[in-house]
Amino acid sequence: MRKNLIAGNWKMNTTLPEGLALAKGLNEALNGKTVKCDVVIGVPFIHLASVAAAIDTSRIAVAAQNCADKEKGAYTGEVSAAMVASTGAKYVILGHSERRAYYHETAEVLKEKVILALANRLTPIFCIGETLDDRDAGKQFDVVDEQVKASLFGLSAEDFSHLVIAYEPVWAIGTGKTATAEQAQEIHAHIRSTIASKYGQAIAENCSILYGGSMNAGNAKELVAKPDVDGGLIGGASLSVENFLPIIEAF
Ligand code: PGA
């Protein structure tokens, strides 16, 4: 079902004690509050189990920021979707532009990761988005269509209905440059229509599509007010309760 969702992406930040303090601080801040969205925090792998044990996971769900494209076995250093799920995590961020750019994750590898995540009952938060060059060339719609088609359109309708999409223009990530609410709405509506062309209107309408890229307390309200923007994936501003809480309260 389509839901409002605010997800933090801590990236490679916080030691374990710092991460625990941040998670517990958020847990406390939300205690007794009624919020109008689901809340997720995407934490480093080694924090997953400790964070999940330290907070009320019925209020704040825990996400990994990646998982392996193989089920298990001799893949030194990798962390499988089953391992992530066994920590109590419910989500996994996949296809983030930093993983695509710095770790050369291809559409094909991401396809495998999505399949394994879903098989282990994790909700993938699947990231797509164009670079500045793409946008300058007017190719943003083609780029996101290709990303969605190449990694997700092999899924059954049932499987597709269990994932969340995050539109994150690469030029807006960590740059302080946010897409305008109009730009976000335009491309979110486009993504939804692309989903509808494959899976039908009902599944497209039920898919949560998040915006990501320099979202903060100042711009969150305007973004989530748009009909096709169902929440956000937040990097920098998720690293303190002070900055993250007002984004959760933007709904
Ligand atoms: P940012 O990162 O909010 O720091 O721009 C968003 C993301 O990369 O998910």
Side-chain angles (χ1 to χ4, degrees), residues 3-7 37-38 165-167 188 208-212 215 220 223-226 228-234 247 251:
K3 57 190 174 196
N4 296 331
L5 180 71
I6 295 292
C37 62
D38 288 2
I165 304 262
Y167 167 67
H188 282 222
S208 296
I209 306 179
L210 314 181
Y211 169 79
M215 193 162 168
L223 283 159
V224 303
K226 292 293 178 191
D228 287 297
V229 179
D230 304 310
L233 181 57
I234 291 99
I247 303 176
F251 282 102

Side-chain angles (χ1 to χ4, degrees), residues 27-36 59 245 248-249:
N27 195 55
E28 244 161 66
L30 289 175
N31 195 19
K33 266 203 165 78
T34 309
V35 293
K36 298 199 188 89
R59 310 208 58 187
L245 192 60
I248 294 168
E249 290 174 330

Side-chain angles (χ1 to χ4, degrees), residues 191-210:
I191 294 162
R192 205 179 295 286
S193 74
T194 299
I195 295 168
S197 72
K198 166 79 179 171
Y199 292 106
Q201 201 61 35
I203 285 180
E205 280 303 323
N206 278 332
C207 182
S208 296
I209 306 179
L210 314 181

Side-chain angles (χ1 to χ4, degrees), residues 9 11 96-98 168 172-175 212-215 233-237:
N9 175 12
K11 309 192 179 181
H96 192 281
S97 62
E98 288 153 14
E168 298 204 303
I173 295 176
T175 57
S214 298
M215 193 162 168
L233 181 57
I234 291 99

